[in-house]
């Protein structure tokens, strides 16, 4: 009987000891959790979302004229040199037109004779023939078809040219153009006049341009993709270091860039329906409005919060379930406004 009483007393002691140990562990765990929460902080980050279409290509002069002879002949004058500015209609190169001038003068003499003594039908034929002779004289000249700059010229007096020989280039660089490929899925986003940011390897900075337009028909590339050729334009003044045929990459801005303030959801708590955060500096509590961003982050849309503010963790999950915030990590694979809102109790 005595031994049974001792056994019961010993069992009570063991149970009591276990209870004390369990209680101690729970208290210690709670203290550790509180310590983790109090030591975990999150930095408010800013992310800029650009709703844009990326493009690439080369720029061309607004207009370009290949200087070439329209008929065979000998060069008798060259009136420009590389870099000269010319006006529309200016004579650039003159070929020998002695024979053509003689033929026209002879024809005019004959036509006057016909006018006096010939028939009206014969006179009409002479007038038509005169137009052809005048055109042959015009074909002995190379003239500017627009205002521009002589980009290059390679001809000298005495050179013999054949019809269609190219001897130089005239360009109008009052503005630059580029034709770029835009995927069919993005065409609905385009509007004439949209801003385009150009980046050139030759220039340390961004050059602004705009969307001019696009045709009412698509094209299929060699890769099998359906695209639309969109024309872009850069108006003067633009940097002198940018020349026709220079390559670029660029972005067509569909809408102005948006800036988001982001923080991990563990930095946000709720008091009823009101969300709030607590700044580390001064311990100030700030009421905020947040919306989902992705699984880890929320977007702060209202509240006296700025980029770089350091916020205290508001939940144990924040201390143990996500260490990225204490390292100041940025969201990964964000869907820019998508994702689920933090589950109840997640704050």
């Amino acid at each position: 009987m005595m031994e049974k009483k001792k056994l019961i007393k010993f069992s009570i002691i063991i149970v009591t000891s276990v209870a004390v140990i369990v209680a101690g562990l729970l208290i210690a765990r709670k203290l550790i959790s509180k310590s983790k929460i109090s030591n975990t902080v999150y930095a408010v980050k800013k992310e800029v979302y650009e709703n844009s279409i990326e493009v690439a290509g080369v720029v061309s002069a607004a207009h370009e004229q290949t200087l070439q002879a329209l008929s065979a002949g000998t060069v008798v004058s060259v009136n420009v040199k590389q870099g000269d500015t010319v006006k529309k209609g200016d004579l650039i190169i003159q070929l020998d037109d002695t024979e053509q001038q003689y033929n026209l003068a002879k024809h005019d003499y004959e036509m006057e004779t016909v006018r006096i003594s010939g028939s009206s039908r014969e006179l009409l034929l002479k007038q038509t023939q005169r137009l052809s002779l005048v055109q042959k004289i015009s074909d002995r000249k190379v003239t500017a078809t627009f205002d521009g700059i002589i980009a290059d010229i390679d001809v000298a007096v005495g050179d013999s040219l054949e019809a269609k020989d190219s001897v130089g280039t005239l360009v109008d660089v009052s503005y630059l153009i580029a034709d770029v490929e835009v995927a069919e899925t993005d065409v609905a986003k385009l509007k004439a006049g949209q801003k385009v940011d150009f980046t050139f390897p030759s220039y340390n900075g961004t050059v602004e341009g705009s969307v001019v337009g696009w045709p009412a028909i698509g094209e299929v590339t060699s890769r099998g993709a359906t695209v639309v050729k969109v024309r872009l334009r850069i108006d003067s003044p633009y940097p002198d270091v940018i020349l026709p045929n220079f390559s670029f990459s660029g972005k067509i801005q569909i809408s102005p860039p948006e800036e988001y303030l982001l923080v991990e959801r563990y930095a946000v708590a709720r008091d009823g329906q009101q969300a709030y955060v607590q700044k580390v500096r001064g311990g100030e509590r700030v009421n905020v409005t947040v919306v989902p961003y992705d699984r880890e982050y929320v977007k702060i849309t209202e509240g006296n919060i700025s980029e770089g503010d350091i916020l205290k963790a508001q939940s144990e999950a924040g201390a143990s379930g996500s260490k990225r915030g204490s390292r100041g990590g940025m969201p990964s694979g964000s869907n820019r406004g998508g994702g689920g809102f933090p589950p109840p109790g997640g704050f």
Side-chain angles (χ1 to χ4, degrees):
M1 188 70 174
M2 196 69 169
E3 290 180 0
K4 187 175 182 181
K5 287 182 178 181
K6 288 181 179 180
L7 182 59
I8 292 173
K9 186 177 181 180
F10 181 70
S11 298
I12 292 172
I13 293 173
I14 292 176
V15 171
T16 303
S17 299
V18 170
V20 170
I21 293 171
V22 170
L25 290 173
L26 290 174
I27 292 171
R29 181 178 178 183
K30 185 176 291 187
L31 290 173
I32 292 171
S33 296
K34 287 183 178 179
S35 176
K36 284 184 178 180
I37 294 174
S38 64
N39 291 328
T40 302
V41 296
Y42 299 101
V44 178
K45 307 292 182 181
K46 180 171 72 175
E47 181 174 284
V48 178
Y49 168 55
E50 292 187 349
N51 184 15
S52 61
I53 301 172
E54 294 189 357
V55 293
V58 296
V59 291
S60 303
H63 301 97
E64 183 173 321
Q65 176 188 351
T66 299
L67 304 177
Q68 57 184 195
L70 297 179
S71 60
T74 302
V75 177
V76 295
S77 69
V78 179
N79 301 323
V80 298
K81 62 182 181 299
Q82 185 173 323
D84 283 355
T85 299
V86 297
K87 297 292 185 180
K88 181 178 180 180
D90 283 354
L91 178 62
I92 297 175
I93 301 169
Q94 174 69 61
L95 301 183
D96 179 22
D97 62 354
T98 304
E99 180 180 349
Q100 288 74 24
Q101 292 286 0
Y102 169 78
N103 290 338
L104 178 61
K106 180 180 178 182
H107 178 273
D108 285 348
Y109 175 79
E110 293 173 351
M111 192 167 67
E112 286 302 317
T113 302
V114 171
R115 192 188 303 276
I116 296 172
S117 59
S119 66
S120 58
R121 183 177 179 82
E122 187 178 2
L123 179 60
L124 181 61
L125 289 173
K126 284 290 186 181
Q127 290 173 338
T128 303
Q129 185 181 11
R130 188 177 194 282
L131 295 176
S132 175
L133 294 174
V134 170
Q135 183 60 50
K136 288 182 179 180
I137 293 176
S138 178
D139 289 348
R140 312 299 287 178
K141 299 179 175 68
V142 178
T143 59
T145 57
F146 52 80
D147 297 353
I149 298 172
I150 302 297
D152 65 84
I153 190 163
D154 184 20
V155 66
V157 173
D159 287 351
S160 180
L161 301 181
E162 297 294 331
K164 302 300 182 180
D165 278 353
S166 297
V167 295
T169 305
L170 172 67
V171 294
D172 170 15
V173 290
S174 58
Y175 61 90
L176 300 175
I177 59 173
D179 292 322
V180 297
E181 294 181 354
V182 172
E184 59 181 325
T185 52
D186 288 329
V187 173
K189 303 175 185 177
L190 295 172
K191 292 182 181 179
Q194 283 171 326
K195 177 184 174 184
V196 182
D197 292 325
F198 291 82
T199 303
F200 293 86
S202 60
Y203 179 67
N204 184 23
T206 301
V207 179
E208 184 174 326
S210 62
V211 174
V212 176
W214 57 95
I217 187 171
E219 300 180 13
V220 179
T221 68
S222 59
R223 308 183 306 273
T226 303
V227 299
V228 169
K229 287 291 184 68
V230 178
R231 173 150 291 189
L232 312 179
R233 173 168 168 163
I234 300 175
D235 286 315
S236 182
Y238 53 84
D240 294 339
V241 295
I242 298 174
L243 302 176
N245 297 325
F246 274 21
S247 63
F248 70 88
S249 59
K251 294 180 181 179
I252 301 174
Q253 299 294 346
I254 305 305
S255 60
E258 299 179 44
E259 292 185 352
Y260 298 149
L261 287 179
L262 306 176
V263 72
E264 277 145 313
R265 62 190 181 91
Y266 304 113
V268 184
R270 284 193 177 275
D271 185 357
Q273 295 298 316
Q274 179 61 60
Y276 69 89
V277 296
Q278 187 175 11
K279 295 182 180 181
V280 170
R281 180 176 294 180
E284 177 189 1
R285 170 175 161 166
V286 181
N287 290 338
V288 294
T289 301
V290 296
V291 295
Y293 189 76
D294 63 10
R295 292 178 60 87
E296 296 291 337
Y297 283 78
V298 293
K299 180 167 59 174
I300 301 173
T301 59
E302 293 182 14
N304 185 26
I305 296 296
S306 304
E307 179 188 11
D309 282 348
I310 306 300
L311 308 179
K312 292 183 178 181
Q314 298 294 330
S315 68
E316 183 178 350
S320 60
S322 175
K323 296 181 180 179
R324 291 187 299 166
S326 60
R327 297 199 302 267
M330 279 298 290
S332 171
S334 62
N335 58 7
R336 290 173 168 74
F341 199 69
F347 290 150

